[in-house]
Amino acid sequence: MRGAIRALGAAGLLLAAAPGVFAQDDPATPPPLSKRTIQSGLPLTANQQATGLDTLDLSLKVDPAAATVEGTARYGLTALGPMNRVEFDLDPRYVISSVLLNGSAVALSNWRNDDGQLSIDLPSAAAKGDKLSVAITYAGRPHIAERPPWDGGIMWKQTPTGQPWIATANQMEGCDILWPCIDSPVKRVGVTDIAFTVPAPLVAAGNGKFIGRSDENGWTTWKWRARNLNMYALTLNIGPFEKIERTYQSRFGNSIPIAFWHLPGHAKQAGALVDQIGDSIAFFERTIGPYPFGDEKVGLVETPHLGMEHQTINAYGAGFKPSPDGYDWLMEHEFAHEWFANQLAQTETNHMWLQEGLGSYMQPLYMQQARGDWLYDAMLWDSRKKIVSKVPLVPDEPLTSTYYNDREAGWGSDIYTKGAWIAHTLRGLIGDEAFFTALRRLVYGRDDPRPGNFTPQFRTTADFQREAEKASGRDLGWFFDAYLRQGPLPKLTVARQGGALDLTWSTAGGTPFPMPVEVRVGSRVVRVPMTNGRGRVQLGPDAGDYAIDPEAKILRYDPAIETWQAAEKAAAAEKSKGRTS
């Protein structure tokens, strides 16, 4: 997502706005996003819950000169239960010119777009199993990203030679800043057909499989088809792109197309990155399971922002910088999201660590397999220093995406770093076989994934706990409580009693924490069971030579890191004060 933490590694505006919508008149001073639009992952209404998204035919005409889009979204729906309205989300800055229901125009009095919730009244209630079609035509200037990809929207940029270079990134704000959708991680469209119409000779690289192109009056329409598309992953990528293509022969017997759309002059660097993708596919298929979208493609596109996990067309904007680690961290992180976000998705924002933390853990894990334990350890140590751990990673109260940018809470960074460390600690506790079995079941919903025999999984932290308990045969409630449902990290108190060390665990909530601890005494390593959170180890003649958790297998409170973090924060504040005085 959105530039992961480095340690881990065509038309003018319509003149009259319908009720509840407005136009953005001055792109230099855009209005703010509405309260609803700025948030992604809000609770679904009853009508949204009852809406099955079978098909979407989305047509977008993009005019770089006017900085506008005009589009039509045609949905095929199935009522999953009683419905009296069809409800979508759409940024109210767009002007909606028509709404069709089952092919007939809907009167203005029977639809509205209040604060970004587009409601279309049905003439009579739909019953479970009823089929509906809805077509929404709209136009306007999309929200411009202020700090992409962290604050999302559209980017109207130019290449170094002055050609249009356009991209979108909208994970936190959601799909409704670009097209009418149900802005929820659990609502996916079965099949999405996408047609991007752009000025020739620009290229529009899209999600899924390339279906074809057509040219008319100086415009080119690029057509794509994707299945089970992650809602925030549908993206615009427009520019004077050139393309590098490869085919990867999977260990599962299928052939996977690889494509990278890059700017002119970057063929050599892009080609080297494409070559690396083969190693990455091999790692993930060996470690987790089959690439989830092998019948579509592995795609990359060069973007004016850092990066984002846009399903089968991941954004890449890291500038092809050489790395002493021997791999491109951004490409690797966004590619991890094909498994941890696009195949496995959180059911709600509270469980976002499943995507970001497990996805981030894949980078040191990849390096461990490629270059050894030393780099795995070094990458984890670098990320350990960034863990804030003030608030629970999985809070009890419902969250929306805006919590990501709460810097004081630190949750938006902890879901990467602390999430990865939780995975590391759990792996050390239950062992590789149980850990990777649990991950595989979590991602695919089965033990034996093969191309074509699985569907996207929508999961919670409790689901991961159940899979880990099933795979390991252990009760792990104490582990998930301490690391995910509480803020502060577990503390280990070490007290010297003559020739022995007494070890005691404590948690912020006073919950049990029987985490075994390894102690190196001289040249030997002793594993202390820590039943009931307490344990003792005899030092013997090596009383002055011992180390607690010498291989750093356990995520725990570290006073040295806390002191260092406070000093770094104070220094940053003083530096900022100096700049403004």
Side-chain angles (χ1 to χ4, degrees):
M1 182 199 99
R2 341 173 133 267
I5 290 178
R6 171 62 183 91
L8 296 177
L13 292 177
L14 301 181
L15 297 179
V21 300
F22 61 90
Q24 176 184 336
D25 294 319
D26 184 358
T29 57
L33 288 171
S34 72
K35 183 178 179 180
R36 182 176 181 87
T37 303
I38 200 171
Q39 301 180 83
S40 183
L42 288 168
L44 295 175
T45 68
N47 285 301
Q48 288 177 325
Q49 291 177 19
T51 302
L53 305 172
D54 301 332
T55 62
L56 168 63
D57 186 344
L58 179 64
S59 301
L60 284 177
K61 189 174 186 179
V62 183
D63 188 345
T68 60
V69 301
E70 63 175 15
T72 299
R74 304 173 183 86
Y75 277 99
L77 310 176
T78 298
L80 305 178
M83 297 172 57
N84 57 13
R85 287 189 300 272
V86 176
E87 294 174 339
F88 292 108
D89 300 298
L90 180 64
D91 188 344
R93 76 188 58 229
Y94 291 113
V95 177
I96 299 174
S97 58
S98 74
V99 177
L100 303 181
L101 179 63
N102 297 331
S104 299
V106 179
L108 284 176
S109 59
N110 290 330
W111 67 267
R112 66 215 60 84
N113 191 16
D114 297 330
D115 193 43
Q117 184 171 63
L118 174 59
S119 298
I120 305 165
D121 297 333
L122 298 179
S124 60
K128 182 177 180 180
D130 285 354
K131 299 291 184 179
L132 304 168
S133 68
V134 175
I136 303 156
T137 300
Y138 64 103
R141 292 190 177 103
H143 173 71
I144 297 173
E146 297 178 5
R147 193 175 64 100
W150 298 275
D151 293 303
I154 195 167
M155 289 144 267
W156 302 103
K157 301 296 184 180
Q158 291 186 340
T159 68
T161 58
Q163 296 173 285
W165 189 17
I166 302 162
T168 57
N170 59 349
Q171 183 176 24
M172 291 299 104
E173 299 77 10
C175 48
D176 51 335
I177 66 172
L178 185 62
W179 50 285
C181 63
I182 298 180
D183 186 11
S184 168
V186 299
K187 284 293 181 179
R188 296 197 181 189
V189 183
V191 177
T192 300
D193 284 306
I194 313 161
F196 296 132
T197 300
V198 300
L202 296 178
V203 176
N207 305 89
K209 295 179 67 172
F210 178 61
I211 301 301
R213 57 174 284 185
S214 59
D215 297 272
E216 184 178 2
N217 299 325
W219 296 82
T220 303
T221 298
W222 300 83
K223 300 177 182 179
W224 300 88
R225 177 172 294 160
R227 58 178 173 81
N228 297 318
L229 187 59
N230 180 342
M231 295 303 254
Y232 72 78
L234 194 155
T235 178
L236 283 175
N237 294 285
I238 300 166
F241 296 125
E242 298 174 355
K243 183 172 62 169
I244 293 176
E245 295 181 280
R246 302 277 194 277
T247 299
Y248 178 81
Q249 299 299 325
S250 167
R251 64 192 285 117
F252 294 95
N254 58 316
S255 298
I256 303 173
I258 303 173
F260 191 164
W261 286 263
H262 61 87
L263 294 183
H266 293 171
K268 182 177 179 180
Q269 302 98 310
L273 203 56
V274 168
D275 291 340
Q276 184 182 314
I277 289 175
D279 290 338
S280 299
I281 299 173
F283 160 73
F284 278 101
E285 292 203 324
R286 180 175 62 247
T287 305
I288 308 298
Y291 175 63
F293 310 102
D295 58 336
E296 296 181 356
K297 69 177 182 301
V298 173
L300 281 172
V301 60
E302 192 171 355
T303 58
H305 66 93
L306 185 59
M308 182 63 70
E309 66 272 17
H310 295 141
Q311 188 171 312
T312 71
I313 186 69
N314 286 328
Y316 177 83
F320 308 101
K321 297 181 182 69
S323 166
D325 299 333
Y327 83 125
D328 191 292
W329 70 273
L330 179 67
M331 186 281 289
E332 190 69 27
H333 179 81
E334 305 305 352
F335 189 55
H337 280 309
E338 298 286 19
W339 284 263
F340 300 99
N342 298 331
Q343 168 58 27
L344 160 68
Q346 66 210 22
T347 60
E348 53 191 357
T349 304
N350 293 54
H351 306 285
M352 195 170 177
W353 83 276
L354 290 174
Q355 297 184 178
E356 299 301 343
L358 296 178
S360 293
Y361 183 58
M362 293 300 108
Q363 284 82 78
L365 189 60
Y366 174 68
M367 284 290 93
Q368 183 180 38
Q369 295 193 20
R371 301 189 65 183
D373 291 346
W374 67 274
L375 191 48
Y376 173 86
D377 294 337
M379 293 175 72
L380 282 171
W381 169 240
D382 194 23
S383 69
R384 172 63 185 90
K385 294 176 288 185
K386 298 177 175 66
I387 296 174
V388 178
S389 208
K390 288 184 179 179
V391 299
L393 218 56
V394 184
D396 290 332
E397 68 278 6
L399 296 180
T400 66
S401 58
T402 54
Y403 195 48
Y404 180 93
N405 288 321
D406 186 332
R407 295 189 178 183
E408 185 61 30
W411 179 86
S413 59
D414 275 354
I415 56 175
Y416 297 85
T417 51
K418 185 178 179 181
W421 261 86
I422 289 170
H424 164 70
T425 303
L426 180 62
R427 178 188 173 197
L429 176 65
I430 66 176
D432 280 10
E433 182 177 357
F435 177 75
F436 290 111
T437 295
L439 274 189
R440 188 171 300 110
R441 290 171 177 166
L442 187 74
V443 170
Y444 298 101
R446 59 190 301 158
D447 288 312
D448 59 342
R450 294 290 184 272
N453 75 350
F454 54 86
T455 59
Q457 301 296 302
F458 304 98
R459 298 290 202 157
T460 67
T461 301
D463 292 327
F464 189 25
Q465 179 180 330
R466 282 192 292 270
E467 295 293 4
E469 289 178 336
K470 180 180 177 181
S472 65
R474 302 186 187 191
D475 178 2
L476 297 172
W478 60 270
F479 180 96
F480 283 80
D481 285 343
Y483 283 122
L484 291 147
R485 302 178 181 113
Q486 300 174 30
L489 293 172
K491 290 185 178 182
L492 181 64
T493 302
V494 181
R496 181 76 174 265
Q497 298 290 342
L501 292 179
D502 286 332
L503 311 177
T504 305
W505 281 114
S506 62
T507 64
T511 56
F513 194 72
M515 173 69 76
V517 179
E518 290 184 352
V519 181
R520 178 179 54 77
V521 181
S523 60
R524 62 193 176 96
V525 175
V526 179
R527 188 175 187 272
V528 185
M530 301 298 289
T531 304
N532 299 320
R534 296 178 178 273
R536 168 173 282 199
V537 58
Q538 297 294 331
L539 298 177
D542 298 306
D545 182 13
Y546 68 87
I548 307 297
D549 188 25
E551 295 184 9
K553 294 181 178 180
I554 304 171
L555 176 60
R556 59 190 172 101
Y557 170 75
D558 188 327
I561 290 178
E562 183 178 62
T563 300
W564 173 81
Q565 287 176 337
E568 290 290 295
K569 184 177 181 179
E574 189 65 25
K575 184 177 181 180
S576 177
K577 180 180 177 182
R579 287 197 300 264
T580 57
S581 61

